[in-house]
Amino acid sequence: MDPFASLAEAYEAWYGTPLGAYVIAEEERALKGLLPPGESLLEVGAGTGYWLRRLPYPQKVGVEPSEAMLAVGRRRAPEATWVRAWGEALPFPGESFDVVLLFTTLEFVEDVERVLLEARRVLRPGGALVVGVLEALSPWAALYRRLGEKGVLPWAQARFLAREDLKALLGPPEAEGEAVFLAPEAHPPYEEADLAGRRAGNRPALYLGRWR
Ligand SMILES: C[S@@+](CC[C@H](N)C(=O)[O-])C[C@H]1O[C@@H](n2cnc3c(N)ncnc32)[C@H](O)[C@@H]1O
């Protein structure tokens, strides 16, 4: 069952709210800070193409299994090549891409290890694997876990990973990024709430790592 089937059209709507706009801008800053230059980018689990629209690579490919997300992605990010496929079996020869991005996708795949192996297989020698996860120990994951327990999609089908899980699977990253230390209940001004969350020692909502 596709947990995104009924969510695709409205998937980006939250980014239009004040908190959503703050969160996504912080995530974009962290992601762009970690992505290396290159010719070709593959995003696995590219969703509605939010990142493919914003990332400045000459060749962009999105892999997406959900027909509903894929339809929205194709419409909103026509500059990318879209392929309906699963991260566990990428339909590309080895050493095809300079950069492979997994952004909050591992939470929803069947087989995390298989997806990571596939991502590495299709990377050119010296290419970069960039992985972003919704940190399992963050206040945001606590909220989403609770919603999932109540059957709310897509969280009912999510599994959360902490940075330690990624490092156990991939080894030490070459570089790391973090964003969104404020809690989901934060009030404006969000910059102050974010700083307070950081000072309080909150795990951020987003952890990013880059591996070669
Ligand atoms: C939370 S969304 C993230 C979408 C996009 N990366 C973004 O940040 O806007 C997770 C995406 O992973 C996709 N997905 C689920 N299982 C997958 C799999 N086995 N392989 C690749 N993508 C998968 C979902 O269909 C969904 O579009």
Side-chain angles (χ1 to χ4, degrees):
M1 183 262 197
D2 171 11
F4 292 91
S6 61
L7 307 175
E9 288 296 338
Y11 183 74
E12 296 176 19
W14 184 67
Y15 306 157
T17 66
L19 178 58
Y22 178 81
V23 166
I24 201 69
E26 286 293 291
E27 294 190 347
E28 182 165 346
R29 193 184 43 74
L31 177 59
K32 286 186 168 165
L34 211 62
L35 281 168
E39 278 296 304
S40 53
L41 167 79
L42 168 68
E43 185 180 1
V44 179
T48 55
Y50 187 82
W51 298 122
L52 287 179
R53 298 200 299 278
R54 283 165 176 75
L55 299 177
Y57 291 86
Q59 295 158 36
K60 301 189 264 195
V61 178
V63 155
E64 176 50 50
S66 161
E67 291 192 47
M69 295 292 262
L70 183 68
V72 176
R74 279 201 165 116
R75 203 170 68 229
R76 294 195 187 156
E79 66 272 39
T81 301
W82 288 86
V83 182
R84 182 162 188 251
W86 282 257
E88 288 85 349
L90 292 173
F92 309 107
E95 305 186 1
S96 295
F97 299 96
D98 296 324
V99 181
V100 175
L101 172 64
L102 285 154
F103 195 97
T104 62
T105 291
L106 288 179
E107 285 80 350
F108 298 97
V109 306
E110 285 267 321
D111 186 337
V112 172
E113 287 185 45
R114 182 83 224 144
V115 171
L116 292 174
L117 276 174
E118 278 290 272
R120 283 197 141 155
R121 180 183 66 77
V122 301
L123 266 184
R124 294 214 172 101
L129 171 63
V130 175
V131 183
V133 293
L134 214 160
E135 262 264 9
L137 298 171
S138 70
W140 293 79
L143 169 65
Y144 293 149
R145 213 176 273 120
R146 176 123 176 95
L147 291 174
E149 285 162 12
K150 292 175 186 293
V152 176
L153 292 175
W155 309 115
Q157 289 192 30
R159 127 193 5 87
F160 296 99
L161 299 161
R163 63 188 67 193
E164 290 82 0
D165 300 320
L166 281 184
K167 290 177 190 178
L169 289 163
L170 290 167
E174 172 187 74
E176 301 178 282
E178 298 179 311
V180 189
F181 291 84
L182 48 65
E185 301 83 9
H187 296 291
Y190 295 128
E191 291 77 7
E192 282 178 23
D194 209 49
L195 203 60
R198 193 188 278 265
R199 287 207 184 107
N202 282 357
R203 287 271 181 137
L206 178 67
Y207 170 80
L208 287 162
R210 188 175 75 215
W211 287 265
R212 294 278 176 184

